Amino acid sequence: MADTTASSATGLANPLGDELRTTRSVKPCVVVIFGATGDLTKRKLVPSLMGLAKDGLLPPGFAVVGFARRNWTDESFRTELADGVRQFGRPDTPAHFDALADAFTFHQSDFGDRAGYESLKAKLEQIDRQRGTAGNRIFYLATPPSSYSAILQNLAATGLSKETGDHFARVIVEKPFGRDIHTAVALNDQVRAAFHERQVFRIDHYLGKETVQNILALRFANGIFEPLWNEKFVDHVQITVAESIGVGSRGGYFEESGIIRDMIQNHLMQVLTLVAMEPPAAITADAVRDEKVKVLHAIRSFKPEEIDEATVRAQYTRASFGGEDVKGYRDEEGVPKDSVTETYAAVRLEINNWRWAHTPFFLRAGKRLPRRVTEVAITFKQPPHLLFEGGKPLQPNVLLLRIQPDEGVALRFGAKVPGPDVRIRDVRMDFRYGTAFGGETADAYERLLLDSMLGDGTLFARADEVEEAWRIVDSIVNGWKQSKRRPDEHAAGTWGPERADALLGPGRSWRKP
Ligand code: BG6
């Protein structure tokens, strides 16, 4: 079947009507979801696919096969998915699910059972004939990581991972991608035994967020920022991912990972690389990822004796927050009373290259902070000579990239207060996505699913990026293990422990968004 006309606009619109746009076409394909009875499929994957259907971005030849152990039927699978789309999908998407329900089928098998993959193969061939999916397959690993190995081996053994002629076979791998560098390397080896790197799409959903993609647009589609984007003008950068929720029912999982593995190794490191990278030669998957990984190469691993000075970790404690009496981390379900797992971490990273030498990057992430906010704050140096207000320094200029919520970009600068005296006050220039573009914003998974169908790996983590990020994070985890210092504490609903302020050094303070 020929390519469809479905397309995706990767361009940047502006309210004046000038638009830079690239249009790409999606080939027909089948998406096989391993672990299809789980939460991710119901909450994210299928609602996102229906978001694509609503926007006319799915190819006409399209089908989904849910592969899982449970004894479900096509009918019970569809009922569950319809419910998911109603609860979690964008407005009007349930109607798209109803229209496409026949495209969803269920395949029951154990992940380790070879016969289940042989019958999957036969089923996929039948779907190709019936629905025009043209032999193109995407395998989505939405299972716990412990099942990845069996799935990958069976996909390779049955030839399902092979690309033949024009037909593509791709694999999407969910996080966590390992729990340290050794497990990540082992997993990359397993993936590579079945698929070529160009067939592999490692999901970090932060890369699918419009505002994260806008970091590249802001930097490289404009002439005014890039000349200032270096150690000569930037004093420091703060990257914050704060959440007001606690660990909830995920205490058992969180206890094993901590905020460093759950958020910093992946989401914050990815954002950091986009902020700090050099301009790529082109916006292609390898050109972009080559530059991102160079940033990680330029960050050296910590020595254990450096860790108490370069990082702060803490746990939230019981407090009244948002009108509620909330539990401390150690009272959460699945968390031992003597836990030393961090729910908050702040890290000072130095990027040892020409652009960033002497400009520290501060990363912080935490649960039970006062509000949910993700932002990047580029803080500029003060002017060399202060003319106003008897030389009293104003707040430095800050370029703020608001990733979520209240998506936008703001610039803080000093302005003259109207009147006969010369008084300067900080003001803000503010761009808001909602006001400028209106409309609904697609979920990050929509963009990532679409890109995997298009075969565009730009917004996915490459094996070397994942491994480099683990190298840095492992050195932190190792330092914490050897340190005599226990995690600090901070009351739930506050911006972390006091010691985090000292991390920034004199004259700097954490933003309290
Ligand atoms: C996930 C983490 O990757 O990201 C969660 O495992 C976290 O702990 C979530 O809550 C945050 O994602 P978002 O898109 O809500 O910022």
Side-chain angles (χ1 to χ4, degrees), residues 205-216 238-241 267 271 274-275 372-377 400-409 433 441:
H205 77 280
Y206 266 59
L207 292 177
K209 292 183 192 271
E210 283 289 343
T211 40
V212 171
Q213 295 164 46
N214 191 47
I215 297 172
L216 289 188
Q238 292 184 17
I239 301 176
T240 300
V241 180
H267 308 324
V271 173
L274 294 173
V275 173
R372 174 173 183 256
V373 58
T374 299
E375 59 167 45
V376 179
L400 184 64
L401 317 184
R402 286 194 307 265
I403 307 292
Q404 66 184 21
D406 193 19
E407 290 80 358
V409 179
Y433 268 81
T441 313

Side-chain angles (χ1 to χ4, degrees), residues 5 255 274 370:
T5 52
E255 178 59 17
L274 294 173

Side-chain angles (χ1 to χ4, degrees), residues 9-298:
T10 54
L12 319 160
N14 86 25
L16 303 176
D18 305 330
E19 204 171 277
L20 197 68
R21 207 180 163 90
T22 52
T23 301
R24 308 175 294 171
S25 51
V26 187
K27 286 184 174 169
C29 61
V30 187
V31 179
V32 180
I33 305 176
F34 291 94
T37 51
D39 235 27
L40 185 71
T41 308
K42 180 173 175 176
R43 281 173 170 270
K44 285 284 178 198
L45 303 185
V46 176
S48 296
L49 287 170
M50 292 307 103
L52 293 176
K54 178 181 173 179
D55 292 346
L57 294 171
L58 281 186
F62 178 74
V64 171
V65 176
F67 187 118
R69 282 172 291 220
R70 285 198 221 168
N71 197 10
W72 285 13
T73 60
D74 289 350
E75 261 335 289
S76 57
F77 185 47
R78 289 171 191 159
T79 308
E80 194 65 18
L81 298 181
D83 184 42
V85 177
R86 260 196 314 278
Q87 279 189 61
F88 307 110
R90 288 200 266 142
D92 305 332
T93 46
H96 289 274
F97 184 79
D98 295 342
L100 268 172
D102 285 358
F104 290 78
T105 50
F106 190 74
H107 189 75
Q108 195 226 339
S109 169
D110 245 40
F111 299 128
D113 181 7
R114 170 81 178 260
Y117 293 77
E118 297 291 358
S119 51
L120 172 69
K121 195 172 181 179
K123 182 177 231 164
L124 291 174
E125 282 159 11
Q126 190 191 1
I127 293 175
D128 286 341
R129 288 191 295 275
Q130 287 171 348
R131 305 197 64 92
T133 40
N136 295 319
R137 289 107 177 64
I138 295 181
F139 301 102
Y140 199 118
L141 307 192
T143 63
S146 52
S147 302
Y148 289 177
S149 164
I151 298 169
L152 290 164
Q153 278 174 24
N154 279 301
L155 288 176
T158 47
L160 279 164
S161 62
K162 264 230 167 63
E163 298 198 311
T164 46
D166 277 349
H167 307 162
F168 66 72
R170 298 180 185 141
V171 65
I172 304 181
V173 189
E174 264 293 334
K175 73 168 263 242
F177 205 88
R179 58 170 283 109
D180 55 24
I181 192 162
H182 305 294
T183 45
V185 168
L187 179 52
N188 276 330
D189 287 346
Q190 280 173 7
V191 171
R192 268 192 297 254
F195 292 91
H196 188 278
E197 181 67 31
R198 79 182 132 70
Q199 298 172 274
V200 185
F201 295 77
R202 293 175 195 78
I203 288 248
D204 184 312
H205 77 280
Y206 266 59
L207 292 177
K209 292 183 192 271
E210 283 289 343
T211 40
V212 171
Q213 295 164 46
N214 191 47
I215 297 172
L216 289 188
L218 181 95
R219 291 190 55 197
F220 303 132
N222 295 292
I224 62 168
F225 300 113
E226 209 45 29
L228 305 178
W229 211 265
N230 57 59
E231 56 91 27
K232 287 195 181 55
F233 298 96
V234 178
D235 178 74
H236 73 280
V237 177
Q238 292 184 17
I239 301 176
T240 300
V241 180
E243 291 180 284
S244 54
I245 52 169
V247 298
S249 56
R250 298 164 78 216
Y253 153 79
F254 199 86
E255 178 59 17
E256 292 301 312
S257 70
I259 205 81
I260 190 102
R261 292 189 176 93
D262 187 47
M263 303 288 284
I264 295 184
Q265 187 273 341
N266 38 66
H267 308 324
L268 280 92
M269 286 290 191
Q270 286 292 332
V271 173
L272 165 83
T273 58
L274 294 173
V275 173
M277 69 190 266
E278 295 299 317
I283 298 286
T284 58
D286 274 328
V288 170
R289 296 186 296 182
D290 286 347
E291 295 306 331
K292 286 170 65 198
V293 80
K294 281 187 210 162
V295 173
L296 300 173
H297 282 306

